[in-house]
Amino acid sequence: MSKASLIEWRGIAAVIGVDWGDSGKGRLIDDLAKRAHIVARFSGGSNTGHTVENKHGKFALHIMPSGIFHKNTHCLIGRNVALDLESLSEEMDALDKAKVSYDNLTIDEQATLTMPWHKVRDGIREKLRSGNKKIGTTGKGVGPTYADRTERVGLLVKDLFSKDFRKKLTEEIKIQNKFFGLKLNDEKIYRQYLKISKRIKSFVGSTLEILREAQKSGKNILFEGAQGYFLDIDAGTYPFVTSSNPGIVGIMRSFDLHPSVLNEVIGITKSYTTRVGAGPMPTKIDAEIREFLIIRGKEKGTTTNRLRDPGWLDLVLIKAAAEANRLTALAVTKLDVLSGLVSIKICVGYKLDGKKVDYLPHDAEFLTQVEPVYEEMSGWEEDISAIRNFKDLPTSAKKYIKRIEKITNIPVKFISVGPERGQVIYV
Ligand code: GDP
Ligand code: IMO
Ligand code: MG
């Protein structure tokens, strides 16, 4: 385990959510990308909502990598990303408006396109599911895009530039209309994608080659995870998961890069837990502290504007994510949000029928049955948003972080105390 501070990170690093998403990955990447030659997004689609707040403004990024604000950082979108070009185009508009250049972007030519029918199918499927079977997807067509890729019928980025694109599109739309009873307008979609393809053409390339070159010449590479490990299609709380691999497996799927070459795997979590959409959450808080965390933490989804359910920090989950992804460091965000709580609970174990149990991967039902075992710690009153050194934190805040380290056995190397770039403590 590396003891080096993240302020001077070097080599190949990855940021992985160790929760159900929205832990502050966008802001961490924006902070760390200062040293990155490459920032590479490897999974998910426009279900992602990464917030970045810096001198250029406040941005909600869905497809665009969060390293884009650093001119000298080459940003890559890998082949296993569900590529929603409508979203990317809107994000480009927002960057244009803020006069932020994105010349430093390469989109992999092999990535699967999220097309209008994927979003329609996502919506219909959710509507048809009965109450407790609804997943609460973001409606961004991510499930159907990955389903089509697995079925080997997805359109790829490179198809947009092939001579027979029109033919491929028409044929696919015919199939979609027939198979799913849709009424897609072939001409309208063709014109829309012709326009989009012209806009993105100069950004398309082979991200694998760029990454290999960078690796050979010892450049700093930062992998940007999306979602969180417990939304993983295989290891998460199935079926209440997404359709990709937010853990380190996802890096391999996009970039053919073995996890053993990662120098630093940073697991990121808020200082409490949140979940949006359906699915179990053992440490969910129902009382007035729920309101406190929602208001102070502004817990509304970046992509869908839905309220996020808050819970106490669940170290059982973080330990499971740490083991599976070989975490070398933890990043704890939103510590400032906890200021003002008299006491803070921390989940250190689960019990089932009075017996101690561990996390069981991919068992959503199991998580509905377990009872969290809590430790209670003192809170702190002080506003900590201006603190930049660990030693200046209130004693209770320091104890809280130390306890997380002790129980997980992973060093906390990054703490954030506000949403803006630089509102951080490098430990
Ligand atoms: P991501 O999906 O992991 O990138 O996280 P989101 O952007 O969806 O959600 C994190 C939210 O918390 C955003 O609104 C951020 O601006 C905000 N945020 C990030 N770090 C901090 C922090 O340290 N303090 C506070 N108060 N807000 C933060
Ligand atoms: P970031 O990258 C939080 C959740 C949805 C739903 C489930 C499946 O911003 O952390 P999907 O649309 O993927 O089929 O929805 O996964 N979900 C997220 N929750 N943050 C995200 O991304 C999420 N991406 C998907 O709410 O429960
Ligand atoms: Mg988010």
Side-chain angles (χ1 to χ4, degrees):
M1 197 161 290
S2 143
K3 286 215 161 61
S5 159
L6 284 184
I7 205 164
E8 59 205 21
W9 73 272
R10 257 187 280 136
I12 309 182
V15 169
I16 306 281
V18 289
D19 47 16
W20 289 287
D22 300 331
S23 44
K25 297 174 292 293
R27 71 84 37 85
L28 174 62
I29 297 287
D30 179 56
D31 272 298
L32 296 184
K34 194 164 63 181
R35 295 180 56 79
H37 299 106
I38 301 247
V39 166
R41 171 82 190 270
F42 59 85
S43 68
S46 58
N47 50 350
T48 300
H50 290 179
T51 313
V52 174
E53 253 183 279
N54 56 30
K55 62 182 180 192
H56 304 284
K58 183 175 175 179
F59 302 85
L61 303 175
H62 304 283
I63 296 290
M64 189 66 87
S66 303
I68 201 73
F69 303 93
H70 298 271
K71 261 205 184 108
N72 300 323
T73 303
H74 194 158
C75 288
L76 310 180
I77 299 176
R79 68 172 178 219
N80 202 248
V81 169
L83 190 65
D84 178 347
L85 288 177
E86 285 180 66
S87 177
L88 184 68
S89 201
E90 285 166 19
E91 293 164 54
M92 285 174 165
D93 289 342
L95 292 171
D96 282 339
K97 214 169 147 194
K99 298 198 164 45
V100 176
S101 154
Y102 41 86
D103 287 348
N104 48 336
L105 173 73
T106 300
I107 303 165
D108 198 275
E109 61 201 2
Q110 303 286 346
T112 312
L113 298 173
T114 292
M115 296 300 285
W117 51 86
H118 294 124
K119 292 179 192 177
V120 176
R121 276 163 53 192
D122 195 353
I124 295 174
R125 170 77 78 174
E126 275 290 276
K127 216 164 165 190
L128 292 177
R129 278 194 186 103
S130 59
N132 63 358
K133 295 280 192 303
K134 286 190 200 298
I135 293 171
T137 71
T138 58
K140 298 294 180 183
V142 170
T145 308
Y146 280 108
D148 279 4
R149 181 165 179 96
T150 307
E151 220 182 329
R152 298 142 300 167
V153 296
L155 291 173
L156 308 183
V157 172
K158 64 174 185 183
D159 291 330
L160 288 172
F161 307 103
S162 73
K163 273 197 214 108
D164 58 350
F165 172 60
R166 177 71 203 245
K167 200 169 143 234
K168 274 187 182 157
L169 183 76
T170 303
E171 190 176 305
E172 190 53 33
I173 288 178
K174 247 192 213 152
I175 294 173
Q176 293 286 333
N177 281 343
K178 192 154 182 193
F179 203 61
F180 297 103
L182 308 180
K183 291 196 176 66
L184 299 161
N185 183 324
D186 169 47
E187 183 61 29
K188 194 173 148 212
I189 297 176
Y190 175 65
R191 267 191 270 116
Q192 183 189 7
Y193 275 79
L194 203 61
K195 200 168 151 203
I196 291 183
S197 62
K198 278 184 190 146
R199 186 171 194 187
I200 63 148
K201 190 166 186 196
S202 63
F203 303 108
V204 174
S206 164
T207 60
L208 240 62
E209 271 173 41
I210 297 167
L211 198 89
R212 268 203 201 117
E213 260 324 295
Q215 193 193 358
K216 258 195 244 157
S217 49
K219 300 258 169 77
N220 293 341
I221 300 170
L222 184 57
F223 288 104
E224 174 173 2
Q227 286 75 52
Y229 185 62
F230 297 98
L231 287 174
D232 182 286
I233 180 74
D234 301 310
T237 50
Y238 190 92
F240 305 105
V241 291
T242 189
S243 300
S244 61
N245 297 109
I248 50 169
V249 170
I251 298 174
M252 187 100 168
R253 295 197 68 175
S254 256
F255 294 105
D256 296 347
L257 198 82
H258 195 271
S260 62
V261 303
L262 297 170
N263 304 101
E264 196 81 77
V265 183
I266 307 160
I268 179 168
T269 172
K270 285 178 192 160
S271 57
Y272 47 100
T273 305
T274 59
R275 180 160 201 171
V276 60
M281 179 183 185
T283 64
K284 183 143 89 181
I285 302 170
D286 286 319
E288 73 210 64
I289 292 173
R290 172 188 164 86
E291 297 305 311
F292 176 94
L293 291 174
I294 286 178
I295 292 166
R296 271 188 65 82
K298 301 196 175 84
E299 294 303 345
K300 256 195 177 175
T302 313
T303 301
T304 56
N305 222 17
R306 293 175 294 177
L307 276 191
R308 299 169 181 147
D309 283 321
W312 298 112
L313 191 63
D314 189 335
L315 296 184
V316 178
L317 295 182
I318 293 178
K319 271 163 68 176
E323 207 172 302
N325 293 284
R326 291 272 178 110
L327 298 188
T328 58
L330 279 175
V332 177
T333 60
K334 297 185 119 170
L335 191 63
D336 56 305
V337 173
L338 299 184
S339 289
L341 286 175
V342 177
S343 69
I344 299 167
K345 285 188 190 172
I346 192 168
C347 172
V348 296
Y350 291 157
K351 268 189 177 168
L352 188 63
D353 301 326
K355 272 197 207 131
K356 238 187 114 204
V357 286
D358 272 331
Y359 174 71
L360 252 191
H362 60 73
D363 198 337
E365 207 176 311
F366 167 81
L367 277 198
T368 61
Q369 293 163 354
V370 296
E371 201 187 309
V373 178
Y374 288 117
E375 276 183 16
E376 199 152 349
M377 307 189 67
S378 309
W380 60 91
E381 273 297 327
E382 299 89 327
D383 173 4
I384 59 170
S385 57
I387 292 176
R388 299 289 176 268
N389 289 305
F390 186 76
K391 65 174 177 30
D392 299 329
L393 282 171
T395 307
S396 302
K398 281 192 270 199
K399 276 192 182 156
Y400 184 61
I401 296 292
K402 288 279 167 211
R403 195 69 194 133
I404 295 171
E405 286 187 324
K406 174 92 185 164
I407 295 169
T408 60
N409 201 23
I410 312 280
V412 173
K413 293 191 179 181
F414 179 101
I415 298 167
S416 75
V417 291
E420 288 172 35
R421 183 190 279 179
Q423 279 193 295
V424 300
I425 297 169
Y426 289 96
V427 189

